[in-house]
Amino acid sequence: MNAKEPVIGRAALCFLICCSMVTCIVFSMPTFIAEKTSRGSLWLILGIYPFMVLFICIVKRVNSLFGRLTLREIYVSAFGRAAGGAVFMFFILYTAAVSALFFNIFTEGAAQFFLKETPRLVIRVLTALVLLYCLYRGPAAVFRMNVFFVLQPVLLLLIMAAGVNDFDVKHLLPLDDFGGAHIYDSAALLFFALSGIQIILLLYRYFSAETKKGFAKLSLVTCAAVCLFHAAAFAACFMTFGYGYLIKLQYPVMELTELIENVFMNKMEFFTMLIYAFFGLAAPLNLLSAVSLNIADATDGESPAGRRLRRFMPLLLTLAVLGLGELFGDTEDAGRIMAETLPLSLLFGFGVPSAALLLGRRKKTIVRARAFLKEGDMP
Amino acid sequence: MLKKIKPMRNRMPRNKKAEQGGLPYSLDGKTAILSGLAEKNGDIVLSRMPLGETGHDFAVSYIDGMTDKNALRLSVLPALKNYVPKTQGMPRPVEEAVYVADVQPVNDAEELMKQLYSGRLIMLFDGPDGAWAAELNGGDKRAVSEPKNQRTLTGPQEAFVENLETNTALIRRKLRDERLVVQKADIGGTAQRCVIIYIEGAADPAVISEINRRIAAVSADAVLTAAMLAKFLEDKPNSVFPQVRIAERADTVVACILEGRAAVMVDQSPYALLLPAVALEMFQSEDDYSYAPVQGSFLRILRFIAFFISAALPGLLVAVICYHQELLPIEVIAPLKYFEGRVPVSLPAQAVFLELLLQLLLEAAVRLPSYIGTTVGIVGAVLLGQALSAARVTAAYMLITMTLAALAGFCIPDHYFSVSSRILRLIILLPSLTFGLYGFVLACVMITAHICSLESMGTAYTAPLAPLRIKGLKDTVIRAPARRGKAGRI
């Protein structure tokens, strides 16, 4: 690790997880999941927490086993040069694709809320330019920005809480009623929406010693907070609109804040729009910064080609996000893609790290056994 | 403090040093270097006199007005003129006769010039090691007076002056601590002097060595002010935000030194540079500590709001009125629209016009003498504003917003940060005019990214907020009570 690489502290880790997992999807999430599983979505959101716990445990074990290796080095030492390199590349591509999807959803929302008559491409290019500028400021700057981004979900929660007069708890009852048999679709969507958590796998190497020490506890608490936030957003929308009306709304959180009456400013929608725009870019920024750091680690920074790649990395990543975004289409397509990529999320989230852990352990055991035998042979 | 000149050692054969690029052996050779300068410049004095009864001569050279002539006439010259070569039968080196402060040997012609132009007294003798430079500062000095730019209501009314020694003495007087270090340094290739002031053990040694390195690497012909040196000490000098804090008050400098920062003071400049600097401290004033914690905290929060108003309010207003009228209640938007309808000029044009007018007024008020500057303020604020509104060139609410933004900018204690807020206003205004609230937010995100990427001597500019350090936040936004809120080290 060189002097210019970021060092992620304890607070920064919490903000990083929070800002990568709470994306602008939260504005449309209640409708997406309620459509399939009705009130049961609440349990589904909370039910995803054990998976997060499992993922955090795997990340912790993998990094404890492999020490200070980069993610590519971990995969190469576990699966071999060719297979490890390929898995690493696929993972990087997958993360870039997730960023592109988040970016797409964000610009789609921006087109709906802010600039209804502006062509989508103009909005995407404009947003991509801002993304590029932020990426050029460096990963350390991006990770510092999370402190300012993380305030937005908190404010959003407060704004939603202000609509308590319109809440009707009866809409949520009975709690054990699962409206449909499409739990898989909703779960897939939830998995994808929360897939920003993979950032901890990419950035573990950059955590400070203190952060690594308290990693499990901090991550678990933050993930619990994120799950509760999503559950609260869902419950607030469900209690306000009820199932019948909720599934007709594309951005229920925004609609909810429009209803809130306030003495100071009777349209809370104004603040919600600002919040939407502020934290919408956080997840793609964090994920792309993590990707750029990992690619930089995997390349030789001393060689001219490596230096060139590092210099143009923000531009390449921005172009990749724009290009992939064009392929993914609008929000409805994004929802479909999210549902279809659950196996991929599970593979990169649990399958590959678990395999690396098992293979790494086995290799380590073999190395130890060989060393033992060698010592035993000695007179 | 007086220092005895060291006796001559390692005498070298004649002309050996001159051959090596050093000074000539003879006094004639040495004076020849300066005589050309003295002939060309009326203020450079070079005089030659007999050295006691030795049969040799000596020469002194100085710049008129920069040297204390009284000390020269009463202390240095008599000692050399009445020089006795032997004391109690023992040979006595000529330099031992002179007692002056901070005497340094001069080894080559380039250094000789540099010392002369630094305002030091040059003494030349025959032989090797026969050139010395002594600190004999003199001339007219401005007395310590009230601060002009960083005023406080209840704090001490002492500001720095142009004399470096007076300034360091001001700090010493306020901070009687044996750990206080006042380290001298020469600025790059210039003849300008500066000092680095810090508390040993409190300041980060890496920061001090980095400051030294950057000062030594200055490549300008001359560094006339502290603000000029600041540009060489900043990590990103082209940034909108100042990464070095500039103070004209001794108590501000002392407070910062106690927090572990370093101060750099340039000779002939009445300002100190404080490093590392963070954004949050630009909102702090020494006055905060004169008030009760609640009052101090209130004033600080007010300054943060003022910064937001100054930088973002015009952009936000334009974005909402031009693109998102539905976000405002009808009671608010109706009168605004009524006024807008009466003005033929479009809102974006009004905003840009008023912003430019405001910047012009501010610039004019700064450049003019204070008595005319006040008139410009009155003409600008009252007459021009009223005339613009009456002539329906701008809507009254737009005028109010821009005036409010300008006033809010003046609430920020740091002048350079206040100028930053003026530039940010334009940076935010333009995308807001083009893309409404979305442009406003994107501009804010870019500014956030920029400010987060800044560092001052290795310290994040956004510290202790990002990266977050709860302990460091104790005395930043909220002014903590004195017994608990020990100023946080950055």
Side-chain angles (χ1 to χ4, degrees):
Chain A
M1 203 184 288
N2 66 44
K4 285 203 168 179
E5 282 177 351
V7 178
I8 298 166
R10 290 161 66 94
L13 169 69
C14 297
F15 298 151
L16 195 68
I17 294 175
C18 205
C19 292
S20 305
M21 289 172 71
V22 181
T23 61
C24 47
I25 296 178
V26 74
F27 282 80
S28 43
M29 180 76 83
T31 303
F32 276 155
I33 48 174
E35 219 172 353
K36 309 279 191 216
T37 45
S38 186
R39 299 171 187 85
S41 306
L42 195 62
W43 299 120
L44 206 62
I45 295 170
L46 298 175
I48 215 160
Y49 185 64
F51 288 94
M52 290 183 189
V53 174
L54 183 64
F55 177 70
I56 288 163
C57 291
I58 292 172
V59 172
K60 175 85 182 156
R61 300 299 296 171
V62 167
N63 282 284
S64 306
L65 185 69
F66 289 95
R68 288 179 58 82
L69 295 184
T70 63
L71 189 63
R72 183 180 164 273
E73 286 165 348
I74 289 173
Y75 285 166
V76 165
S77 53
F79 305 120
R81 186 171 285 273
V87 168
F88 172 74
M89 277 310 296
F90 275 120
F91 185 52
I92 290 293
L93 260 177
Y94 169 74
T95 309
V98 171
S99 314
L101 212 54
F102 287 159
F103 178 81
N104 246 20
I105 293 166
F106 171 62
T107 49
E108 183 82 12
Q112 294 222 11
F113 302 141
F114 297 98
L115 302 162
K116 293 186 179 77
E117 286 161 24
T118 311
R120 298 281 154 90
L121 189 67
V122 174
I123 297 174
R124 290 159 81 93
V125 171
L126 181 73
T127 316
L129 285 175
V130 176
L131 196 73
L132 177 67
Y133 177 81
C134 296
L135 288 175
Y136 258 117
R137 303 320 298 182
V142 170
F143 299 152
R144 279 178 203 154
M145 284 170 77
N146 286 331
V147 177
F148 303 100
F149 287 142
V150 86
L151 293 172
Q152 317 300 325
V154 179
L155 289 175
L156 185 64
L157 210 58
L158 290 175
I159 290 174
M160 284 193 291
V164 70
N165 288 342
D166 297 320
F167 291 171
D168 187 352
V169 186
K170 279 181 217 151
H171 285 307
L172 267 181
L173 300 173
L175 278 169
D176 59 346
D177 172 36
F178 278 76
H182 305 286
I183 296 174
Y184 177 84
D185 289 346
S186 290
L189 209 116
L190 262 174
F191 257 100
F192 196 92
L194 300 174
S195 62
I197 196 173
Q198 63 190 282
I199 201 158
I200 58 175
L201 186 59
L202 287 161
L203 292 178
Y204 193 90
R205 198 173 90 86
Y206 302 96
F207 296 164
S208 65
E210 202 188 9
T211 312
K212 281 180 184 169
K213 210 171 158 188
F215 164 74
K217 206 163 82 179
L218 287 169
S219 309
L220 290 174
V221 170
T222 314
C223 286
V226 169
C227 279
L228 286 175
F229 170 77
H230 275 94
F234 172 81
C237 291
F238 211 95
M239 284 193 290
T240 310
F241 301 114
Y243 176 74
Y245 193 59
L246 178 64
I247 54 169
K248 290 178 187 161
L249 302 171
Q250 198 180 356
Y251 293 99
V253 173
M254 196 64 82
E255 305 278 349
L256 169 70
T257 53
E258 271 183 51
L259 296 175
I260 297 168
E261 285 191 4
N262 183 285
V263 182
F264 175 64
M265 186 176 241
N266 63 2
K267 297 228 176 181
M268 296 302 274
E269 185 194 2
F270 169 75
F271 296 106
T272 322
M273 276 170 71
L274 286 180
I275 289 168
Y276 175 88
F278 261 113
F279 81 77
L281 271 178
L285 267 175
N286 283 322
L287 289 171
L288 291 175
S289 296
V291 164
S292 76
L293 274 174
N294 274 270
I295 296 177
D297 271 344
T299 52
D300 176 17
E302 300 300 315
S303 70
R307 274 206 299 269
R308 215 171 301 134
L309 180 69
R310 283 178 186 207
R311 198 180 309 147
F312 290 109
M313 188 95 72
L315 182 65
L316 292 174
L317 286 173
T318 310
L319 287 175
V321 163
L322 261 181
L324 287 169
E326 280 299 310
L327 286 178
F328 291 151
D330 58 15
T331 309
E332 276 183 26
D333 292 328
R336 185 179 46 79
I337 293 167
M338 282 182 203
E340 283 171 4
T341 50
L342 177 62
L344 216 56
S345 302
L346 292 175
L347 176 72
F348 285 120
F350 302 102
V352 176
S354 304
L357 187 65
L358 290 174
L359 287 171
R361 273 209 175 141
R362 192 168 159 265
K363 280 187 179 174
K364 224 168 186 176
T365 316
I366 293 167
V367 170
R368 268 192 210 142
R370 276 184 189 154
F372 178 74
L373 285 173
K374 216 174 179 181
E375 276 175 21
D377 289 344
M378 281 166 75
Chain B
M1 194 167 62
L2 293 178
K3 184 182 168 187
K4 196 190 281 183
I5 298 173
K6 287 175 191 166
M8 285 186 284
R9 285 184 196 134
N10 305 327
R11 289 184 181 274
M12 290 178 76
R14 280 170 184 262
N15 295 329
K16 187 79 183 270
K17 273 199 160 184
E19 282 163 22
Q20 290 173 355
L23 289 168
Y25 182 88
S26 68
L27 180 62
D28 291 337
K30 286 175 193 134
T31 50
I33 298 170
L34 298 176
S35 58
L37 282 176
E39 278 170 23
K40 215 187 289 177
N41 301 289
D43 60 337
I44 295 180
V45 180
L46 175 67
S47 52
R48 195 170 167 146
M49 282 160 257
L51 182 65
E53 293 168 2
T54 58
H56 292 277
D57 279 357
F58 76 95
V60 288
S61 182
Y62 58 90
I63 296 178
D64 206 4
M66 288 173 81
T67 306
D68 186 353
K69 277 191 200 164
N70 275 340
L72 178 70
R73 200 173 60 236
L74 299 173
S75 167
V76 180
L77 294 182
L80 291 172
K81 279 181 182 172
N82 303 324
Y83 172 67
V84 181
K86 282 187 179 177
T87 311
Q88 293 170 350
M90 296 290 286
R92 188 182 179 214
V94 66
E95 294 81 9
E96 272 197 10
V98 184
Y99 285 86
V100 279
D102 192 16
V103 181
Q104 290 171 4
V106 182
N107 298 316
D108 54 52
E110 194 185 334
E111 201 189 333
L112 190 74
M113 301 288 187
K114 199 173 162 185
Q115 297 285 7
L116 179 68
Y117 286 123
S118 300
R120 292 197 175 96
L121 172 74
I122 304 291
M123 295 178 289
L124 303 171
F125 306 97
D126 262 324
D129 304 334
W132 300 86
E135 192 78 64
L136 211 68
N137 285 346
D140 296 329
K141 288 175 196 168
R142 184 165 67 91
V144 174
S145 56
E146 278 183 29
K148 283 180 183 160
N149 299 323
Q150 294 169 352
R151 294 183 185 192
T152 65
L153 294 175
T154 49
Q157 305 295 325
E158 279 181 332
F160 291 124
V161 291
E162 283 74 13
N163 187 270
L164 192 57
E165 283 72 28
T166 310
N167 293 342
T168 51
L170 273 178
I171 293 172
R172 282 258 183 226
R173 226 174 280 156
K174 286 182 194 302
L175 191 59
R176 294 167 193 204
D177 192 325
E178 58 186 5
R179 296 170 303 151
L180 182 71
V181 178
V182 179
Q183 184 190 321
K184 285 192 176 180
D186 287 335
I187 303 172
T190 67
Q192 202 81 19
R193 292 178 307 146
C194 73
V195 288
I196 306 164
I197 308 167
Y198 59 94
I199 290 185
E200 207 160 30
D204 184 355
V207 169
I208 303 299
S209 65
E210 182 60 21
I211 292 172
N212 269 310
R213 192 189 66 75
R214 289 189 193 183
I215 287 175
V218 170
S219 58
D221 293 334
V223 175
L224 302 176
T225 60
M228 270 177 85
L229 182 65
K231 291 293 137 199
F232 292 97
L233 296 178
E234 285 179 339
D235 288 40
K236 287 179 183 161
N238 294 328
S239 171
V240 173
F241 296 97
Q243 295 137 66
V244 172
R245 198 173 160 198
I246 298 180
E248 72 165 340
R249 304 170 55 83
D251 54 334
T252 307
V253 173
V254 169
C256 287
I257 290 172
L258 282 170
E259 285 174 9
R261 291 183 178 85
V264 178
M265 300 201 75
V266 179
D267 192 18
Q268 300 306 311
S269 177
Y271 291 95
L273 307 175
L274 296 166
L275 294 150
V278 294
L280 286 180
E281 69 183 4
M282 305 289 178
F283 297 92
Q284 295 175 6
S285 161
E286 291 311 312
D287 258 350
D288 297 348
Y289 297 94
S290 311
Y291 293 110
V294 178
Q295 293 168 326
S297 304
F298 169 74
L299 289 175
R300 275 196 195 166
I301 293 168
L302 199 69
R303 286 184 210 123
F304 281 101
I305 297 169
F307 180 73
F308 176 79
I309 289 173
S310 172
L313 187 68
L316 195 62
L317 185 85
V318 167
V320 171
I321 293 179
C322 288
Y323 292 86
H324 309 282
Q325 293 147 15
E326 74 282 359
L327 291 181
L328 293 176
I330 191 75
E331 299 83 16
V332 177
I333 200 73
L336 297 184
K337 279 281 155 193
Y338 169 74
F339 283 119
E340 198 187 330
R342 294 178 65 196
V343 177
V345 186
S346 71
L347 197 64
Q350 285 178 48
V352 174
F353 170 70
L354 280 176
E355 184 57 50
L356 284 175
L357 191 72
L358 203 66
Q359 302 291 347
L360 284 174
L361 276 172
L362 289 175
E363 204 52 34
V366 171
R367 301 279 154 252
L368 287 168
S370 56
Y371 53 93
I372 308 178
T374 319
T375 318
V376 167
I378 295 165
V379 169
V382 181
L383 297 180
L384 199 57
Q386 209 166 28
L388 284 172
S389 188
R392 293 180 186 176
V393 178
T394 61
Y397 69 88
M398 203 63 213
L399 201 63
I400 293 167
T401 309
M402 298 308 276
T403 316
L404 192 66
L407 275 178
F410 297 127
C411 295
I412 302 161
D414 189 276
H415 170 70
Y416 293 91
F417 209 74
S418 170
V419 175
S420 303
S421 78
R422 277 156 64 182
I423 300 170
L424 290 184
R425 199 183 304 153
L426 275 173
I427 293 175
I428 294 174
L429 190 61
L430 294 177
S432 306
L433 286 172
T434 325
F435 296 104
L437 262 186
Y438 194 57
F440 171 81
V441 172
L442 290 187
C444 289
V445 169
M446 282 174 81
I447 291 165
T448 311
H450 177 77
I451 204 167
C452 285
S453 71
L454 293 179
E455 286 190 350
S456 175
M457 293 285 159
T459 303
Y461 196 54
T462 44
L465 197 63
L468 185 67
R469 232 170 36 83
I470 303 287
K471 277 183 187 171
L473 281 175
K474 255 185 189 171
D475 193 27
T476 47
V477 181
I478 302 291
R479 208 226 102 181
R483 60 179 181 279
R484 279 185 289 153
K486 200 180 166 187
R489 291 262 305 278
I490 48 164

